[in-house]
Amino acid sequence: MRALLTAVCLLLAACATRPAEPKADPLNPAAEAYVKLVLAIGELEPGYVDAYYGPQAWADAAKANKRSAPQLKAEADRILAEVEAVSPAGLDPLEARRRAYLIAHLKAARFRLDMIEGVRKPFQDEAQALFGVRPPVKPLSAYDPVLARVEALVPGSGPLAERVDAFKSRYVIPADRLDAVMRAAIAECRKRTLAHIALPAGESFTLEFVTGKSWSGYNWYKGDAHSLIQVNTDLPIFVDRAVDLGCHEGYPGHHTYNALLEERLTKGRGWVEFSVYPLYSPQSFIAEGSGNYGIDLAFPGEQRTRFEADALYPLAGLDPKTAEAYAALRDAMRELDGARTTIAAMYLDGQIDRETAIALTRKYNLMSRARAEQRVSFTDGYRSYVINYGLGQDMVRAHVEKAGPDQSARWKAMETLLSDPALPSEL
């Protein structure tokens, strides 16, 4: 009997000291189903899946067992109901944000399936359904005062767009110097980002120059903290685009964003939904907005112009003494960014034809015809996605700068935004 009592006591002691089994996350099954849904939609629409680094078997299954749009809409509805059935009351704050993130992205996926079947809604409705924000659309006349200010910077005769293009043509990076200029710009963007944000060990990128695209730069995230950054050379590249693309596509832009999500959410928490990035989703609003705002965060005030004059202009064979004049024009023209949304809305809603959209893009974004055609081609392909750049930047800026004027505090707010399950509605 004593031996039996001893055994019982030892068993009870072992049970008391054994760690409790981890609590099963009620959102995990739906999260896995969501990833498989996105991969399946990608089989219906090439380009829908912007990045994926989850199990290869899931991607293989999506290819081998293609499903129709009606079947996928039913699946999206099923997963959405499953997520909504999980009460946020039983979740911690970050888990509740995860639930909201899944709901928002499932709704966007459901709407994209309607679009794949041919459904079209007005520009603002489409943007809200896909990206979670209803964009304001200003009349083009709101930008006329900005054009007047640009006129003063580029005096002369002839259409303003042609004068601006002639001025900017003096700042083209020669083709044989492009690689060196781009690598120097990306290296500086990376250096400034790493001073504030710790990235995974061994993170890296590959730089590639391409042609035949409707965009000027693209980041293809490959997983394991590695990206392919592509730069389109269809049109001459101005010297200021080196920092733009280095920050936006790399640091603290898309590469940084994806690497942090992978490290802290996919691997750190086992949240598989972050291993896939559907292009037409609220995630793109955060990605593009933070990518654009990241330029100003990395190069506040006059720092960008000084860096370009000291480092990039000599590499490009340009006169550093003219950097301030070019920067003044660039800064003035940034106030015209919102015109892109207005023109896209008018064009996609059928208020103007393609030729008029090109003409208005030339006038209000001060571009050559070739660049205006490229921009309208982007709108043809990506539609209301254009809101993510200007409006996204404005909302990310306002969100981050709530932290105050201190740069360290702003970088910390940016890091939190890039590594959490953030939605546009939280900005």
Side-chain angles (χ1 to χ4, degrees):
M1 178 63 72
R2 182 178 297 169
L4 178 60
L5 288 173
T6 301
V8 170
C9 289
L10 289 173
L11 179 61
L12 291 173
C15 290
T17 57
R18 183 182 302 153
E21 291 293 326
K23 181 182 69 172
D25 192 319
L27 291 170
N28 282 349
E32 179 177 327
Y34 162 76
V35 175
K36 294 175 179 178
L37 171 72
V38 171
L39 294 173
I41 297 173
E43 293 301 312
L44 290 181
E45 182 180 30
Y48 177 75
V49 178
D50 191 75
Y52 176 63
Y53 50 86
Q56 183 59 42
W58 294 1
D60 293 341
K63 290 182 183 298
N65 304 293
K66 291 182 171 61
R67 288 178 281 173
S68 67
Q71 288 174 319
L72 294 176
K73 285 195 284 187
E75 174 67 353
D77 291 339
R78 183 194 69 77
I79 303 169
L80 179 60
E82 183 177 331
V83 174
E84 289 179 329
V86 176
S87 172
L91 306 174
D92 68 30
L94 195 63
E95 289 170 339
R97 292 177 67 195
R98 180 195 189 192
R99 175 183 179 274
Y101 180 95
L102 281 166
I103 289 172
H105 283 74
L106 283 162
K107 288 180 177 179
R110 179 65 170 76
F111 181 76
R112 192 66 190 181
L113 286 164
D114 284 340
M115 292 187 69
I116 289 171
E117 289 193 308
V119 172
R120 293 293 180 267
K121 287 191 174 183
F123 178 85
Q124 289 173 298
D125 293 342
E126 177 187 308
Q128 185 168 30
L130 292 176
F131 308 113
V133 176
R134 188 171 188 83
V137 179
K138 296 181 181 179
L140 287 177
S141 59
Y143 302 98
D144 288 337
V146 183
L147 294 179
R149 291 196 291 275
V150 175
E151 284 266 8
L153 296 173
V154 192
S157 59
L160 180 58
E162 292 180 8
R163 279 182 275 149
V164 167
D165 190 56
F167 181 91
K168 293 179 69 175
S169 67
R170 298 183 298 215
Y171 296 87
V172 170
I173 304 171
D176 62 344
R177 295 173 179 255
L178 183 58
D179 184 78
V181 173
M182 280 302 311
R183 290 187 186 279
I186 296 174
E188 184 68 14
C189 297
R190 182 176 185 272
K191 173 186 168 185
R192 289 168 177 254
T193 298
L194 288 176
H196 299 278
I197 298 176
L199 291 177
E203 62 81 20
S204 63
F205 68 90
T206 300
L207 179 64
E208 186 174 277
F209 298 98
V210 298
T211 57
K213 308 297 181 182
S214 64
W215 37 258
S216 59
Y218 212 105
N219 177 290
W220 303 97
Y221 190 70
K222 302 299 183 179
D224 290 325
H226 181 75
S227 289
L228 169 62
I229 296 176
Q230 292 184 328
V231 176
N232 182 14
T233 60
D234 282 339
L235 298 170
I237 297 175
F238 302 124
V239 67
D240 62 317
R241 290 297 287 157
V243 165
D244 281 351
L245 293 172
C247 285
H248 184 98
E249 308 298 343
Y251 308 87
H254 297 336
H255 172 70
T256 300
Y257 180 38
N258 284 295
L260 289 175
L261 289 179
E262 179 182 18
E263 179 187 44
R264 301 188 187 182
L265 298 185
T266 307
K267 292 181 177 178
R269 288 182 168 269
W271 291 358
V272 296
E273 64 269 30
F274 292 94
S275 67
V276 70
Y277 173 12
L279 191 65
Y280 300 98
S281 72
Q283 186 174 350
S284 282
F285 192 87
I286 303 295
E288 304 295 2
S290 61
N292 271 3
Y293 173 67
I295 302 165
D296 292 338
L297 184 64
F299 294 87
E302 299 299 316
Q303 291 186 29
R304 174 176 178 175
T305 303
R306 288 202 299 270
F307 167 71
E308 290 173 339
D310 293 344
L312 300 188
Y313 274 63
L315 280 174
L318 302 175
D319 183 2
K321 296 177 182 177
T322 67
E324 288 189 9
Y326 186 79
L329 176 63
R330 177 190 66 221
D331 291 345
M333 288 178 59
R334 288 176 66 176
E335 296 182 52
L336 296 169
D337 289 348
R340 180 181 190 179
T341 296
T342 302
I343 296 167
M346 295 169 66
Y347 176 48
L348 294 176
D349 285 346
Q351 298 172 22
I352 57 175
D353 60 17
R354 194 173 195 276
E355 189 60 35
T356 303
I358 292 171
L360 290 174
T361 299
R362 294 198 67 192
K363 176 179 178 179
Y364 284 97
N365 292 129
L366 298 175
M367 293 180 166
S368 67
R369 180 174 179 90
R371 292 184 190 279
E373 287 176 344
Q374 184 186 64
R375 176 159 287 189
V376 174
S377 292
F378 184 94
T379 304
D380 285 331
Y382 293 87
R383 296 182 57 84
S384 61
Y385 192 95
V386 301
I387 75 158
N388 297 323
Y389 298 101
L391 182 59
Q393 175 181 261
D394 292 345
M395 290 179 64
V396 169
R397 180 191 305 280
H399 176 79
V400 170
E401 294 185 358
K402 284 180 186 175
D406 180 69
Q407 281 297 108
S408 295
R410 290 181 177 183
W411 274 101
K412 184 61 180 175
M414 182 73 149
E415 180 181 3
T416 300
L417 177 68
L418 298 180
S419 56
D420 275 1
L423 288 172
S425 58
E426 298 176 288
L427 300 182

